[in-house]
Amino acid sequence: PLPIARVSGHGNLNGHLTAMRYADWALGEFFDRVRASSYYNDTLFVLVGDHGFCLQPQLTEIDLLRFHIPLLFLGKGLQEQFGARHSTVATQVDIVPTIMGLLGEPFTHQCWGRNLFRLEARDPGFGIIKPSGSDPTVAMLRGNKILVNPPAGGDVHLYQYTLYPKAEIATANDPALLEEMTTLSGAYIQTAMNALVNNRTGI
């Protein structure tokens, strides 16, 4: 039995939407309890998703919306210092450096990511995404551009995307950026695979 009403009327999405409603309820219960704790004002809470749902429209061959997930940092004074919302492109490798930066202690890390609150103002962020499993497709995002590199033999595509107020995609005609992003994404993936194969991911 669930403490919330199950979602109905949305076909095969009912289960997904019910899970989201339960997660929303559970987070509300959690924060209602911890607000009364002695450690609440001294704690950085980080909430992040694993992946989104495969919903229409499927933006590009990589299904961009499946990789569009929330990342929330909640803590005393954060909104006053950094604002309520950022649209910087990031991936999960950026989470640890950002957490360590927010904690304010000197630290050394070997993460591939960056502190998202210490980027230059003109930096739109970037990320490399790849579906799990055997799908070899790789994509690189930089700002509102996404490059999709399909399996060997397929054509590399550069798109410009928007997510709000409506998810849309259009072909980006920028040969120089296409070449640059193709080179960078290939180097990133190759370096990561070499480090994994040679057990040097922490070096």
Side-chain angles (χ1 to χ4, degrees):
L2 295 175
I4 47 96
R6 293 180 181 273
V7 174
S8 60
H10 295 276
N12 61 1
L13 293 179
N14 287 341
H16 286 312
L17 296 174
T18 297
M20 292 173 67
R21 178 177 286 178
Y22 172 76
D24 185 65
W25 174 87
L27 285 170
E29 288 287 301
F30 172 77
F31 280 105
D32 282 345
R33 296 181 186 184
V34 298
R35 279 193 191 96
S37 69
S38 59
Y39 59 82
Y40 178 74
N41 286 327
D42 298 319
T43 302
L44 173 64
F45 298 92
V46 183
L47 304 173
V48 65
D50 180 20
H51 55 74
F53 299 141
C54 295
L55 302 177
Q56 295 293 339
Q58 306 292 344
L59 289 191
T60 79
E61 307 92 312
I62 198 77
D63 185 9
L64 178 59
L65 295 182
R66 185 171 182 266
F67 296 91
H68 181 223
I69 59 174
L71 173 59
L72 304 176
F73 296 95
L74 306 174
K76 185 177 180 180
L78 286 184
Q79 287 196 27
E80 292 79 5
Q81 186 175 358
F82 300 109
R85 182 171 182 165
H86 284 253
S87 58
T88 305
V89 172
T91 64
Q92 290 171 331
V93 298
D94 299 306
I95 296 175
V96 169
T98 304
I99 290 173
M100 298 305 295
L102 288 175
L103 293 179
E105 298 294 332
F107 70 97
T108 300
H109 73 87
Q110 296 171 323
C111 301
W112 281 45
R114 305 180 295 170
N115 181 347
L116 297 173
F117 295 116
R118 290 291 181 262
L119 302 181
E120 294 183 12
R122 65 178 184 273
D123 190 335
F126 82 96
I128 303 289
I129 55 177
K130 180 190 178 303
S132 56
S134 58
D135 187 344
T137 306
V138 174
M140 177 180 182
L141 295 97
R142 176 183 284 177
N144 67 342
K145 302 291 193 306
I146 176 170
L147 177 133
V148 181
N149 193 348
D155 292 330
V156 177
H157 295 128
L158 181 65
Y159 302 98
Q160 181 171 323
Y161 68 91
T162 57
L163 298 178
Y164 302 105
K166 180 181 178 182
E168 293 181 323
I169 197 79
T171 299
N173 185 17
D174 191 333
L177 184 61
L178 173 64
E179 181 178 359
E180 179 186 3
M181 290 180 67
T182 302
T183 301
L184 286 174
S185 63
Y188 191 102
I189 294 298
Q190 187 63 49
T191 303
M193 293 305 297
N194 286 344
L196 182 64
V197 168
N198 295 308
N199 195 28
R200 297 175 62 84
T201 54
I203 297 176

